[in-house]
Amino acid sequence: MTIIRLYLSLFSVMSFRRIWNYLLMIKGFYLSLLFRKVIVWGQPFALSAELVRGCNLHCPGCVGGTLHGEDVKQMSPGLLEKTLISVYKRTFYLQLWFQGEPFLYNELTKAFQLSQKYRMFSVLATNGLLLNESINQQLIDGKLKKLIVTIDTLPSSENGYRVGGNEASVVTHIKQLVQQKKLHKSKLPWIEAQMIVTSENENQIDEFKRVLKEAGADHVRLKPAHFNRLDDPDLPVPSKYARYKKHPTGIWEPIQPIRNRCRRLWSTLVISHKGQVVPCCFDKGIMYPLGNANQENPTKIWKAEAFNKYRKAILKNRRQADICRNCTE
């Protein structure tokens, strides 16, 4: 029954305008595929706002993991509200992260207040290490709808994908959040525990599911590991839950074919902590800036020539974009 709570909370933020916009968005996407030309109707249904660029871990391949202490960058609450004001009438799904650990954000309470003010379905992803009684209370009071806690292995493992992590602490923190929810008679946030599957931990999948379910997670999701360097023949690619296959040359390549399409370019607006609008969450290094929400209305950037030019290029040849060659969307 827990999944029903999640859907009910999603329906609670819907309006006729938001539903109609979603249908227009989907229609525009499929017409674009049919006629092989860019047709953008409506606004994105989802917004990904980078509250923080920086992290308390040092995971391989993560640009946020290279920024710590004073180097951590944060989005101003003013920019977040300005963006929400421009999109909230049609956009309803709010992801409060991009490349960083959201619990490092100094204005987390303010972010939750804004998500409530504009009736957004708020989602937050974290490595879980910073969860504590104070933050738990902010999640509950802020009516966060969904919390994604990314873990890659069990406390007994020595092969952690998240460098600097402590899986035992994260499991304990999830238990504490569940207890705090019960104390306040709150059904939310709905907790999803993600396991990043590699060849080094795939033998732990059954035990991982058991441990996290016992901790109180509402759902356990298995997520194939993503690697930036595919020219390493010794990558710990899992055998069953694999994103890649090895080419005869020894180089890894995505199992799923890279088709000349991308739903995200028609559905999700991604804004960095500086306000830069990028095509999608795979543009971690801001290689393809399409505009800046500090200077322009994000809804105008969404339909502007630069964004449509990028969409057109993807419909023609998706492999030409660096950020798309290692994506299975």
Side-chain angles (χ1 to χ4, degrees):
M1 297 292 289
T2 58
I3 191 66
I4 295 178
R5 295 201 301 268
L6 187 67
Y7 282 115
L8 287 175
S9 64
L10 176 60
F11 293 146
S12 71
V13 305
M14 299 307 291
S15 64
F16 175 79
R17 184 178 292 182
R18 286 176 168 180
I19 294 172
W20 182 246
N21 176 76
Y22 184 85
L23 295 175
L24 285 177
M25 181 204 72
I26 292 295
K27 186 174 182 180
F29 172 67
Y30 283 108
L31 286 175
S32 297
L33 299 186
L34 178 63
F35 295 109
R36 309 312 297 179
K37 61 182 294 186
V38 177
I39 300 173
V40 181
W41 288 348
Q43 291 179 192
F45 84 91
L47 166 66
S48 179
E50 185 179 50
L51 298 184
V52 172
R53 177 157 291 222
C55 192
N56 53 326
L57 296 184
H58 311 270
C59 307
C62 176
V63 296
T66 64
L67 301 174
H68 306 276
E70 295 181 353
D71 293 329
V72 172
K73 309 300 180 183
Q74 303 197 19
M75 175 181 284
S76 71
L79 175 57
L80 178 60
E81 181 160 25
K82 178 183 176 182
T83 302
L84 290 176
I85 288 173
S86 67
V87 305
Y88 83 95
K89 291 182 179 179
R90 294 175 176 82
T91 303
F92 57 87
Y93 197 91
L94 177 60
Q95 299 176 162
L96 294 170
W97 82 95
F98 174 23
Q99 291 297 310
E101 171 51 55
F103 290 151
L104 292 175
Y105 193 51
N106 294 332
E107 301 287 346
L108 193 61
T109 296
K110 179 65 174 179
F112 291 149
Q113 289 173 345
L114 292 174
S115 69
Q116 291 184 72
K117 180 179 180 180
Y118 297 103
R119 294 184 59 245
M120 306 297 285
F121 183 88
S122 52
V123 186
L124 187 149
T126 174
N127 57 52
L129 279 173
L130 299 179
L131 280 170
N132 55 36
E133 184 176 350
S134 175
I135 288 180
N136 291 346
Q137 197 61 49
Q138 290 181 65
L139 301 180
I140 296 170
D141 293 342
K143 301 188 185 303
L144 182 74
K145 302 299 190 288
K146 181 178 178 181
L147 179 69
I148 302 171
V149 184
T150 54
I151 316 168
D152 62 308
T153 186
L154 292 170
S156 59
S157 174
E158 297 180 355
N159 297 310
Y161 181 76
R162 301 191 175 278
V163 180
N166 187 317
E167 290 75 18
S169 293
V170 176
V171 172
T172 299
H173 293 165
I174 291 175
K175 292 179 180 179
Q176 292 170 343
L177 173 57
V178 171
Q179 290 301 314
Q180 212 158 329
K181 284 169 54 181
K182 290 179 179 178
L183 179 64
H184 291 274
K185 298 181 180 180
S186 176
K187 303 297 183 181
L188 299 171
W190 194 81
I191 304 172
E192 175 181 295
Q194 287 187 358
M195 181 181 188
I196 309 299
V197 183
T198 69
S199 62
E200 298 170 335
N201 67 6
E202 62 181 332
N203 63 325
Q204 297 181 337
I205 288 176
D206 291 340
E207 186 182 0
F208 183 91
K209 290 180 178 179
R210 179 187 62 79
V211 170
L212 271 299
K213 280 291 186 179
E214 289 179 354
D218 295 294
H219 176 65
V220 176
R221 179 186 175 193
L222 304 179
K223 191 173 181 179
H226 174 271
F227 301 101
N228 290 331
R229 291 286 306 275
L230 299 184
D231 55 352
D232 181 357
D234 298 320
L235 287 178
V237 175
S239 58
K240 183 177 180 180
Y241 297 92
R243 185 190 292 256
Y244 309 101
K245 61 182 178 180
K246 186 175 287 188
H247 191 269
T249 61
I251 297 177
W252 297 93
E253 59 184 8
I255 291 176
Q256 296 295 331
I258 300 178
R259 299 180 294 176
N260 295 330
R261 61 173 65 188
C262 181
R263 187 190 301 268
R264 296 184 187 185
L265 298 181
W266 274 258
S267 66
T268 305
L269 179 68
V270 181
I271 299 181
S272 77
H273 66 284
K274 291 183 178 180
Q276 299 149 305
V277 174
V278 294
C280 77
C281 63
F282 266 72
D283 192 1
K284 303 175 183 179
I286 319 295
M287 296 172 61
Y288 299 94
L290 302 172
N292 195 300
N294 282 301
Q295 287 91 40
E296 303 173 74
N297 188 314
T299 61
K300 292 184 178 180
I301 297 174
W302 180 251
K303 292 186 176 183
E305 181 181 356
F307 213 137
N308 284 336
K309 184 177 180 180
Y310 189 90
R311 292 185 178 105
K312 184 177 181 180
I314 295 304
L315 288 175
K316 184 177 181 180
N317 180 15
R318 189 174 166 196
R319 284 183 174 273
Q320 55 84 34
D322 295 340
I323 62 174
C324 296
R325 295 181 197 137
N326 194 2
C327 174
T328 54
E329 163 69 25

